[in-house]
Amino acid sequence: MLRSPRAMPFKYFAEVDWRHRFIVLVPLSLFLYISFSYAVGTPFSLGSAFVTGGRLSSDAARTSRLRHAPPSESLEVAARLEKKAALKRSRIAVCLVGGARRFELTGPSLIRNVLGKYPNSDLFLHSPLDKGAYKFSLLKDAPRIAAVKIFKPEPMPETEAQNRVLTSSGSPNGIQGLLQYFNLVQGCLSLIDAYQERHNFTYDWIVRTRVDGYWSGPLTGDHFVPSKYVVPSGSRYNGLNDRFGAGDPKTSRAALSRLDMIPLLDAAGYRLLNSETAFKAQLTVASVPYRADRLPFCIVSDRTYGFPPESFGVPVAAMSSRGPMSGAKCRPCKPVCAGPCVADVMGALNKWWSWTEWDKGSLQLCDASGPWEDGWEQEFDRVAGKKSAAARKRVAELGMEECAKDLGATKNRTEIWEAPEPAEICKLGLGGG
């Protein structure tokens, strides 16, 4: 007897072993769902679907938000990402100047938060030879070192123009101290020029910072501004904060030519300038626009200052301050002034002198009227973290043999070495036989 054709499909489905079909159909359905999700612009994360009950992963959620963001916001994010990528590709010269007094505290932060953030950055060190120079052995961990010049400072002749333009007021070593500092800065520019000429290229950016600067956070791309010179806000002393600077080659040349600009300042009629007012004047004479930013670093200082500071006094920040401290003086201490106390102190300071940003609890103050407090090492280690603490302890325990080895490794990684032999530098600081 013939079977009804219409009955055959039903019998077929009844006889199918659906256990085997299920094994195939479930993955196929999931694949189709994921494909459809991407087609409509909503990425689906398989891992997050099972772990978070179908919620989007953070990366997928961020992508989804960008796709659905207003055009202006999407363009802004895209521009920021492109700038960050461009900086990663850029050649950056990092000019580091000053004595190595507390480099065991500041060096690791510079390597981590400045040099380590930009793979194409080259370090240029210009420093006087003193008993602390052996601490530059920490630079063996720096990513790239182009040039090191450690020299024995000599008195500099003072010209009539320099004595007219500059003032000894407020400078610990008078006009001679200003000239020595200006020579450190401009000498670093000379090192950069020699390196560029040797390799026939020009850096895209030049960053100038100080050996005694402690970086509590990274130097971000927001502080690289074409055709403008970026300086820290606050601590302006009637001029511009000159404890850091970043700019393109043209603006940096005007900013770093501190000795060469003095005759031009003299011709323009400037008189009795301190370092900060001279710095502002030279940018003005050179027609270089500038921008003052909040930056995550402070200047570690052993100097004592009255507390609480009066109108023209100097506030000293605790290194534990949330910041950014923008180059304010600092030391490792247990803060004695926070919150409303800081508001009272900073409110009494002259805003065009030593004042610095303090809003939203970003600043805490030390009593710096005496030497560093007992137990500062433990306070520093707590604030700076394990790696910086290990570097501090290593320098504190450094012997002649290890010092010569580490500084020798630094020399071997440096293309231009204008400094005494590592063993000689170590002997000066550690007193080896």
Side-chain angles (χ1 to χ4, degrees), residues 59 235 267 303:
D59 288 341
S235 302
R303 291 183 64 185

Side-chain angles (χ1 to χ4, degrees), residues 103 105 126 145 177 222 234 276 333 341 399:
F103 195 65
L105 308 186
H126 196 209
I145 310 173
D222 296 334
E276 290 81 4
C333 76
C341 172

Side-chain angles (χ1 to χ4, degrees), residues 102-125:
R102 292 287 185 178
F103 195 65
E104 73 274 25
L105 308 186
T106 63
S109 74
L110 173 85
I111 294 171
R112 180 172 61 253
N113 289 313
V114 180
L115 297 171
K117 294 300 177 183
Y118 300 98
N120 287 325
S121 64
D122 295 318
L123 175 64
F124 294 82
L125 172 67

Side-chain angles (χ1 to χ4, degrees), residues 367-394:
D367 179 352
S369 59
W372 286 16
E373 63 194 50
D374 292 339
W376 68 261
E377 296 92 344
Q378 290 73 30
E379 179 64 15
F380 173 82
D381 294 351
R382 181 187 69 81
V383 170
K386 293 181 179 179
K387 290 185 178 180
S388 291
R392 179 193 67 76
K393 293 172 184 176
R394 177 176 176 79

Side-chain angles (χ1 to χ4, degrees), residues 124 145-149 191 194-195 198-199 414-418:
F124 294 82
I145 310 173
V148 168
K149 183 175 182 179
L191 290 175
Y195 189 83
R198 174 183 288 200
H199 293 281
T414 303
E415 182 170 334
I416 302 173
W417 179 270
E418 298 181 24

